[in-house]
Amino acid sequence: MESSHEHEEISFALLLLLLVLEMTNFWKILRKTDTEKRLSVPIRFLRSLPPFKLGSHAVTFEATDEKGKAWPFQCSIRKRGQYPKPFLTRGWVAFVKSKKLRVGDKVRFIKRENRATATISYKVRAEKAIKIFGATFGYARI
């Protein structure tokens, strides 16, 4: 039989799991394709974006960097297949070039909701890998 304490631990673990599943922000260490063509993003990121119009396979949103510059991005999903496989296309390569991002650097997308005004905004943060003798020791905001 479960004790009250064990029941509380299970409930807390389930709550943490739900919070992780509902997380819509993400970060990613960039790979070659991410720096040259498009950024593949996790499926859970789709929940944080504006809704796709019926029949559409792309949605546009704007993210602001740390300097206040707005970057328009397009998130697309594939038209066929078992799962959507989302990726950023339009606007992404310009962002990479502007920030001089390379393989191994990191990018973060953050969704912010202002409940008082019912507005949603997005932030994008680029971070350069700090490498010593080829090993990454951390990341510095750009």
Side-chain angles (χ1 to χ4, degrees):
M1 184 171 179
E2 286 184 9
S3 70
S4 174
H5 181 53
E6 288 173 331
H7 182 70
E8 287 174 6
E9 286 179 356
I10 292 170
S11 296
F12 182 70
L14 288 172
L15 177 62
L16 283 177
L17 179 61
L18 287 173
L19 288 173
V20 169
L21 292 175
E22 289 301 312
M23 185 176 73
T24 55
N25 305 330
F26 82 96
W27 61 268
K28 183 177 185 185
I29 296 173
L30 302 177
R31 297 179 186 179
K32 185 176 180 181
T33 300
D34 299 324
T35 60
E36 294 177 355
K37 298 179 183 180
R38 63 187 167 270
L39 176 71
S40 61
V41 298
I43 291 174
R44 63 182 159 72
F45 186 63
L46 292 175
R47 288 186 293 219
S48 70
L49 295 176
F52 285 67
K53 292 181 181 171
L54 189 61
S56 176
H57 298 283
V59 64
T60 302
F61 69 101
E62 191 172 88
T64 307
D65 67 15
E66 290 192 356
K67 294 181 180 180
K69 181 174 179 175
W71 293 91
F73 294 110
Q74 182 178 58
C75 182
S76 302
I77 56 174
R78 62 177 156 182
K79 297 175 185 176
R80 298 184 184 124
Q82 294 179 353
Y83 60 97
K85 195 174 181 181
F87 49 90
L88 298 186
T89 52
R90 194 171 301 144
W92 173 248
V93 173
F95 179 79
V96 168
K97 287 181 181 178
S98 172
K99 302 294 182 180
K100 298 179 181 158
L101 296 175
R102 295 182 177 185
V103 172
D105 291 340
K106 187 188 284 187
V107 67
R108 295 178 186 265
F109 280 88
I110 302 151
K111 177 184 176 183
R112 296 205 171 145
E113 295 183 59
N114 184 331
R115 293 183 181 162
T117 61
T119 58
I120 295 173
S121 62
Y122 300 92
K123 299 286 182 187
V124 59
R125 182 185 317 156
E127 300 176 12
K128 295 295 279 180
I130 300 169
K131 294 186 178 188
I132 300 174
F133 299 114
T136 301
F137 282 88
Y139 295 90
R141 292 182 184 177
I142 297 177

